[in-house]
Amino acid sequence: MAEQGNVKQFHEFGLDDRLLKAIAKLKWARPTRIQEVAIPLALEGKDLLARANTGSGKTAVYAISIIQKILRDKKEDGNVLGVKALILVPTKELSQQASKNIKDLTSYCSRDVRVVDVAQNSLDVMRPLLLEKPDVLVGTPSRILGHLQALNLNLKESLNMLVFDEADLLFSYGYEKEIKTLTSYLPKIYQACLMSATLSEEVSELKKLVLHNPVIVKLDSTDASQNGGLNQYLIKCETDDKFLLIYALLKLKLVLGKTLIFVNGIDRCYRLKLFLEQFSIKSCVLNSELPHNSRCHIVEEFNKGIYDYIIAADESAERSKCIPSLIKQFLSSCRSATGQPKDKEFGVSRGIDFQDVENVVNFDFPKTVENYIHRVGRTARGFNTGNALSLVTSSDEKVITAVEERLSPNSVSSADEKLFTPFKFKMDEIEGFRYRSQDALRAVTKASIREARLKEIKTEILNSEKLKAFFEDNPRDLQLLRHDKVLHPTKIQPHLRHIPDYLVPETMKPSLNKSSERRKRSFVTFHKNRRSSNFKKQKVDPLRTFKASHNQKPNDNKKRRKKKR
């Protein structure tokens, strides 16, 4: 690994001035380690197999190389038209992210380098754009293959570069057959790049299929964080204590900033969300049941700071068997209208552009080392810092050992330096929170989880643009859905919102008192301004102070009092 002082700058790669201006606009101060090593190799036209952690800058490696080559070729011969580069990704979210990154890098040369993301819309919608012969295509293998078979594309005449991003996921997401079929539509000679955070058997198989004498760039996981950016902590606990811990960590402000909370399973998503709602902790859910547009909207709100917590299910799951038949019918009609199966092109730990994530909390520890790598890769991206906190039980010991063996520095013995740092936390100090946690957890029943999932799906169906035509033809179905019973997932208990002083540990009282004082000041000033404005309005409007006498003389009450005496 090169020393930080010897790191190359972007202008040393011989890049086009327009590309350098875009990089400066994005405020990329210097290349990351993978960019420093891999960009020169890609610009030389060599096949590349690059392994580096999530967030280390792999997307910029192929994006900069593609744009530079297209600008150079068009400078030599501006009449060459057709798709020069094809980028294959496993999920719609990653397709959107990759195309956005390329568009950002082409902000000063968008006329010369045109990018199209084909993963977001149907074949008919994208056909006119493809007939204009864009320079770069981004999409999932199934969508690209669909366009090739529909003769919307011809790659044999113009393709120069093929990129597989998150290559280890492409086969595991069920794209093996599509990729093998797709290779028959490619020219005999092209440059190929495989980008992955792990080197699995699937990557080796893909390597044999598309690469020819590749240069392998393999960075250790410990090299990815150049500023010592990722701090990894563990809290060992019992399974039943996880809800108590997450409540205390969030309510006592021990976890601050934008946070991703990972769970294993969709039911766990809603269970945790409804649990946190009992304490007025706002969060949003991200899972494979939600449509693509809704997932993108949730991520945008998170990136804007509207939500501080996202609860993400890191496993695709079957839709609940308890969904009523009417909604099942609507869901099936939605799938048939789009020509797609249930959304398998979904990934939370990878492929979603979460911005400025400060913490990753593994509420449920991942089942594989690869999943752990990709989860914690959502924070400490590039040169930023971040924290990863895992709540672990005795059943997680095997995976934890495997993670430590994979990610611990080779040069340092495990006895001297450990990957995970025990989080300094005393369970005795939060024992008083237990009854409140149990009270809230009792309110989150199986029925409430079912209703929360059903309510979310029902909302998505009513707001779906693709089902508008269906509802216009079947207005009675829309009426039935709208007038269905109102769903109440859980009953919020107001007394759980605030923490009594006697429950707050002594060490935490100073910081919590400061934050509560700030909230009180803002609350008081807000209501003072509100009262003053209302008072002025009452002065201006005399009718509001008028009181009717009901045909009663003003002195009648006084006379009655005298008679009683």
Side-chain angles (χ1 to χ4, degrees), residues 285-323:
V285 165
L286 200 63
N287 59 62
S288 59
E289 279 188 345
L290 301 176
H292 172 69
N293 291 338
S294 299
R295 298 197 299 263
C296 291
H297 179 65
I298 289 169
V299 174
E300 285 174 8
E301 287 188 326
F302 178 76
N303 290 339
K304 288 177 184 176
I306 297 173
Y307 289 99
D308 283 335
Y309 308 111
I310 281 185
I311 303 170
D314 196 19
E315 288 186 354
S316 58
E318 295 288 333
R319 291 189 186 274
S320 178
K321 295 180 181 179
C322 60
I323 299 174

Side-chain angles (χ1 to χ4, degrees), residues 225 227-233 256 258 356-360 376 378-389:
S225 179
N227 290 334
L230 182 60
N231 303 309
Q232 301 177 73
Y233 301 99
L256 292 172
K258 287 185 177 180
D356 303 323
V357 176
E358 296 178 51
N359 309 290
V360 168
V376 300
R378 296 294 98 199
T379 186
R381 297 174 71 85
F383 296 98
N384 297 322
T385 59
N387 304 301
L389 172 63

Side-chain angles (χ1 to χ4, degrees), residues 236-251:
K236 293 184 178 181
C237 61
E238 298 297 328
T239 304
D240 296 337
D241 290 339
K242 286 187 177 184
F243 288 92
L244 169 63
L245 278 166
I246 197 71
Y247 161 48
L249 289 170
L250 298 183
K251 208 64 180 175

Side-chain angles (χ1 to χ4, degrees), residues 90-93 119 140 142-143 172-175 178 265-266 286-292 295 313-321 323 327-328 330-348 453 457 466:
T91 66
K92 293 177 183 177
E93 287 82 7
T140 57
S142 57
R143 191 53 61 88
S172 61
Y173 269 50
Y175 291 125
E178 285 93 338
I266 296 177
L286 200 63
N287 59 62
S288 59
E289 279 188 345
L290 301 176
H292 172 69
R295 298 197 299 263
D314 196 19
E315 288 186 354
S316 58
E318 295 288 333
R319 291 189 186 274
S320 178
K321 295 180 181 179
I323 299 174
I327 294 186
K328 279 188 177 180
F330 289 158
L331 290 173
S332 62
S333 63
C334 180
R335 292 196 292 273
S336 61
T338 58
Q340 295 180 32
K342 186 176 78 73
D343 199 356
K344 68 174 183 178
E345 300 176 356
F346 167 71
V348 177
R453 291 179 67 173
I457 295 169
K466 295 178 181 178

Side-chain angles (χ1 to χ4, degrees), residues 52-328:
N53 272 16
T54 305
S56 57
K58 297 189 298 295
T59 303
V61 170
Y62 65 75
I64 290 172
S65 306
I66 286 170
I67 296 166
Q68 175 64 21
K69 285 188 172 187
I70 292 173
L71 291 174
R72 185 182 62 198
D73 293 343
K74 289 199 172 183
K75 190 175 182 180
E76 297 173 358
D77 184 4
N79 298 322
V80 178
L81 296 175
V83 178
K84 310 292 190 309
L86 175 63
I87 302 167
L88 297 176
V89 294
T91 66
K92 293 177 183 177
E93 287 82 7
L94 188 55
S95 180
Q96 188 177 36
Q97 180 184 337
S99 61
K100 182 182 180 299
N101 289 340
I102 296 172
K103 286 176 181 177
D104 289 341
L105 287 167
T106 57
S107 56
Y108 293 98
C109 53
S110 56
R111 291 183 180 179
D112 294 321
V113 183
R114 292 173 300 156
V115 187
V116 172
D117 176 10
V118 301
Q120 312 304 328
N121 295 304
S122 62
L123 301 183
D124 295 335
V125 173
M126 300 306 301
R127 181 181 173 83
L129 291 174
L130 296 179
L131 291 176
E132 295 178 4
K133 296 183 178 180
D135 300 292
V136 183
L137 282 186
V138 188
T140 57
S142 57
R143 191 53 61 88
I144 295 292
L145 183 59
H147 284 292
L148 288 168
Q149 292 173 340
L151 303 180
N152 297 341
L153 275 177
N154 184 4
L155 299 176
K156 287 192 174 181
E157 297 179 358
S158 58
L159 188 72
N160 294 328
M161 193 168 182
L162 176 65
V163 177
F164 292 87
D165 200 357
E166 302 290 2
D168 54 332
L169 276 186
L170 286 165
F171 275 13
S172 61
Y173 269 50
Y175 291 125
E176 182 177 0
K177 184 178 178 181
E178 285 93 338
I179 291 172
K180 288 179 179 178
T181 307
L182 194 148
T183 53
S184 63
Y185 291 89
L186 302 179
K188 291 183 179 179
I189 300 174
Y190 56 85
Q191 180 186 1
C193 294
L194 265 65
M195 303 288 170
S196 179
T198 58
L199 295 179
S200 58
E201 293 179 5
E202 288 85 358
V203 177
S204 301
E205 191 173 346
L206 195 57
K207 172 188 168 184
K208 295 175 185 176
L209 190 64
V210 297
L211 295 182
H212 305 282
N213 298 321
V215 178
I216 299 176
V217 179
K218 182 179 176 182
L219 297 185
D220 291 333
S221 301
T222 52
D223 291 337
S225 179
Q226 295 185 21
N227 290 334
L230 182 60
N231 303 309
Q232 301 177 73
Y233 301 99
L234 280 184
I235 297 180
K236 293 184 178 181
C237 61
E238 298 297 328
T239 304
D240 296 337
D241 290 339
K242 286 187 177 184
F243 288 92
L244 169 63
L245 278 166
I246 197 71
Y247 161 48
L249 289 170
L250 298 183
K251 208 64 180 175
L252 294 175
K253 309 294 182 185
L254 296 175
V255 175
L256 292 172
K258 287 185 177 180
T259 303
L260 289 178
I261 305 172
F262 284 100
V263 297
N264 297 336
I266 296 177
D267 270 357
R268 294 279 279 179
C269 259
Y270 288 99
R271 186 174 177 80
L272 183 56
K273 175 182 167 60
L274 295 176
F275 172 78
L276 294 178
E277 280 182 359
Q278 298 290 312
F279 307 103
S280 299
I281 300 173
K282 291 183 179 180
S283 62
C284 50
V285 165
L286 200 63
N287 59 62
S288 59
E289 279 188 345
L290 301 176
H292 172 69
N293 291 338
S294 299
R295 298 197 299 263
C296 291
H297 179 65
I298 289 169
V299 174
E300 285 174 8
E301 287 188 326
F302 178 76
N303 290 339
K304 288 177 184 176
I306 297 173
Y307 289 99
D308 283 335
Y309 308 111
I310 281 185
I311 303 170
D314 196 19
E315 288 186 354
S316 58
E318 295 288 333
R319 291 189 186 274
S320 178
K321 295 180 181 179
C322 60
I323 299 174
S325 58
L326 180 62
I327 294 186
K328 279 188 177 180

